[in-house]
Amino acid sequence: EFRRVLFRSLGASRATAQLAATIGREFSFQLLCEVSERDEATLRHDLERLLQAGLAWSAQDGADTFAFKHALVRDAAYDSLLRSIRQRYHSRIAAILRARSTDETSARPDLIAHHLTNAGEHADAVDFWEAAGQQALARTAVREAAEHFERAIDCLAQLPPTRERAARELEIQMLLAPLLMTVYGWGAVEVERACERALVLAQDLGRHDRSYP
């Protein structure tokens, strides 16, 4: 019901709302223009419809940055997209963010990793999740770093089982295990699982296991 109300209030502008929702709960008009295939005037009109409907507001005065008023609004727009279209949007957003040579982009590898993951571009996502983990580690944000490394491992699991993948996972598991010790304590099941997985990977790589092409 909520989704039907949302679409009735937006009409033809709902496609822009869906694209904005793919960017995130907060989005800039600049990025929306770069990602969208619509012209700027149409996007301004669509955005105005979104604001008038009370579904979004200006996040920063004069900054041309906007936010959905509630996570439910963003989720309703995002979830209504076909998976293939959603992946295409995420891929386009990730490509644009990677092409930008700004401090904002280099400071948010987790944002690029998020879009690459949802685009199904797991090999590239691994690099950015690891970079995000290292960045968090430099800030001593231990739990955040562990979460990013875990996301990198999840993406690796989506790739074909090669020796290169196993070696990369071992590297990240060895980064992850001591962080989990700090977060959960030495005897935690999360620590045991990470250490056991690292041991298996090291043994397999040491034996030149034939399961890896």
Side-chain angles (χ1 to χ4, degrees):
E1 177 61 32
F2 179 77
R3 188 176 298 172
R4 288 197 295 271
V5 172
L6 171 68
F7 285 171
R8 278 201 302 269
S9 65
L10 294 180
S13 300
R14 67 179 181 268
T16 296
Q18 290 171 320
L19 178 56
T22 309
I23 294 174
R25 184 172 178 185
E26 185 172 307
F27 58 94
S28 69
F29 185 72
Q30 179 186 353
L31 181 55
L32 191 64
C33 286
E34 290 182 78
V35 175
S36 178
E37 296 175 345
R38 296 187 171 194
D39 60 79
E40 184 174 341
T42 301
L43 288 174
R44 283 288 182 192
H45 173 267
D46 292 345
L47 184 56
E48 188 61 30
R49 289 286 301 276
L50 193 62
L51 297 173
Q52 289 177 352
L55 300 174
W57 54 22
S58 179
Q60 301 175 29
D61 293 339
D64 239 9
T65 300
F66 305 88
F68 288 96
K69 281 194 173 181
H70 198 285
L72 286 175
V73 177
R74 184 264 172 185
D75 292 347
Y78 182 77
D79 293 341
S80 66
L81 281 167
L82 293 174
R83 183 178 179 182
S84 58
I85 297 176
R86 191 185 303 169
Q87 286 188 317
R88 187 166 74 246
Y89 282 173
H90 279 296
S91 181
R92 198 182 303 166
I93 294 166
I96 290 170
L97 291 177
R98 293 177 72 176
R100 286 182 175 181
S101 55
T102 64
D103 291 339
E104 176 188 357
T105 301
S106 61
R108 291 297 307 276
D110 61 314
L111 184 60
I112 300 175
H114 163 77
H115 288 293
L116 287 170
T117 301
N118 285 287
E121 299 175 25
H122 300 293
D124 287 344
V126 172
D127 294 334
F128 283 93
W129 282 125
E130 184 176 5
Q134 294 286 8
Q135 186 184 79
L137 201 53
R139 303 195 313 270
T140 64
V142 176
R143 185 179 295 272
E144 181 183 339
E147 290 173 354
H148 292 327
F149 289 141
E150 287 174 335
R151 293 296 301 275
I153 291 169
D154 289 342
C155 286
L156 280 169
Q158 304 301 315
L159 303 178
T162 64
R163 285 186 56 79
E164 289 73 18
R165 190 195 80 173
R168 186 72 182 281
E169 183 184 346
L170 177 58
E171 292 175 2
I172 299 175
Q173 289 284 7
M174 292 178 68
L175 291 169
L176 175 62
L179 299 181
L180 295 177
M181 293 175 190
T182 300
V183 173
Y184 297 109
W186 285 79
V189 65
E190 291 86 356
V191 175
E192 181 182 4
R193 188 184 303 122
C195 291
E196 286 180 349
R197 178 59 180 165
L199 180 61
V200 168
L201 289 166
Q203 290 174 338
D204 285 350
L205 287 166
R207 289 196 301 265
H208 302 285
D209 195 301
R210 293 183 181 180
S211 64
Y212 300 125

